[in-house]
């Protein structure tokens, strides 16, 4: 969206977004280092989703920046962040790339994580607007907020609605506070 200036060029408008977050290398027994020497030959757990920033894009960019080819590491791909954590806990990988959540401290030491990138932009919801259709924006935000309140994900439940002229009095106090 930024590369093509889509918001101004093509009239896309952000209607909601998720919080920014950090991406970490997480290990079971030592603090990971962001060096070629440390990572060389390690078993790395990643997500099998090329669109995942914390579990795929950011760590692959880090490997590229450090000059490490994928062939010099054993990369094990799984389908969820929880599966990454299970691989690490079982000792099937040396390190994983993921976000950190409060529940992780029950299984892993916060001392054994190293930030790769500290400000990963949260996903955003856009509408392409030919006109300023406030009713459409309000209806979409109502649906998104309802879905956010129904999810069991800590991250996706924290949807932030972008300011507009909607009367959102039915939304929770936390959502209204996050908008400010």
């Amino acid at each position: 969206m930024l590369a093509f200036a889509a918001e101004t060029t093509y009239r896309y408008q952000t209607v909601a977004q998720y919080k920014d977050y950090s991406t970490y290398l997480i290990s079971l027994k030592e603090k990971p280092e962001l060096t070629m020497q440390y990572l060389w030959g390690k078993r790395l757990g990643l997500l099998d989703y090329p669109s995942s920033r914390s579990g795929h894009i950011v760590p692959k960019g880090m490997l590229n920046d450090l000059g490490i080819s994928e062939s010099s590491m054993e990369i094990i791909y799984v389908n969820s962040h929880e599966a990454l954590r299970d691989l690490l806990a079982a000792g099937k990988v040396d390190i994983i790339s993921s976000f950190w959540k409060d529940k992780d401290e029950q299984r892993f030491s916060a001392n054994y994580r190293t930030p790769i990138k500290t400000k990963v932009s949260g996903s955003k919801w856009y509408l392409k607007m030919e006109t300023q259709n406030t009713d459409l924006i309000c209806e979409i935000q109502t649906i998104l907020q309802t879905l956010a309140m129904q999810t069991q994900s800590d991250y996706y439940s924290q949807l932030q609605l972008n300011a507009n002229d909607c009367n959102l009095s039915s939304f929770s106090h936390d959502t209204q506070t996050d908008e400010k």
Side-chain angles (χ1 to χ4, degrees):
M1 294 299 283
L2 290 175
F4 294 105
E7 290 185 50
T8 54
T9 306
Y10 300 105
R11 295 188 175 145
Y12 280 93
Q13 182 173 339
T14 306
V15 294
Q17 62 191 49
Y18 299 101
K19 290 183 178 182
D20 294 348
Y21 58 94
S22 297
T23 298
Y24 297 93
L25 284 183
I26 304 169
S27 174
L28 193 57
K29 299 180 181 179
E30 63 186 352
K31 185 172 183 72
E33 298 175 18
L34 302 178
T35 65
M36 179 187 286
Q37 295 78 11
Y38 176 82
L39 294 170
W40 195 269
K42 294 281 196 248
R43 295 172 298 159
L44 173 63
L46 295 180
L47 284 185
D48 195 16
Y49 292 109
S51 60
S52 171
R53 287 173 277 179
S54 61
H56 195 96
I57 296 170
V58 171
K60 284 207 168 182
M62 174 204 62
L63 293 176
N64 187 52
D65 291 347
L66 293 172
I68 301 173
S69 68
E70 290 184 42
S71 63
S72 65
M73 297 185 74
E74 181 181 350
I75 299 178
I76 299 171
Y77 292 96
V78 295
N79 292 322
S80 71
H81 285 280
E82 196 57 38
L84 283 174
R85 286 161 172 76
D86 291 343
L87 279 178
L88 183 60
K92 294 181 179 177
V93 293
D94 301 307
I95 50 179
I96 62 171
S97 179
S98 189
F99 56 89
W100 185 261
K101 56 185 178 179
D102 292 337
K103 292 189 330 186
D104 285 338
E105 293 201 23
Q106 297 170 5
R107 294 175 80 181
F108 310 111
S109 171
N111 293 322
Y112 296 156
R113 67 180 182 177
T114 300
I116 303 172
K117 189 171 182 181
T118 57
K119 187 166 169 99
V120 177
S121 175
S123 297
K124 296 180 180 180
W125 289 91
Y126 293 93
L127 279 178
K128 185 173 181 178
M129 305 296 291
E130 294 299 323
T131 63
Q132 186 59 33
N133 188 339
T134 305
D135 285 344
L136 176 61
I137 293 170
C138 295
E139 186 62 28
I140 294 294
Q141 286 185 330
T142 299
I143 292 167
L144 291 173
Q145 185 63 35
T146 300
L147 293 171
M149 290 187 302
Q150 293 172 353
T151 185
Q152 294 185 16
S153 165
D154 292 336
Y155 180 72
Y156 290 115
S157 66
Q158 298 178 36
L159 183 69
Q160 300 170 332
L161 303 178
N162 288 34
N164 55 47
D165 297 327
C166 299
N167 179 4
L168 300 175
S169 60
S170 63
F171 295 137
S172 70
H173 175 69
D174 292 338
T175 302
Q176 292 174 359
T177 302
D178 286 346
E179 292 176 352
K180 295 179 183 173

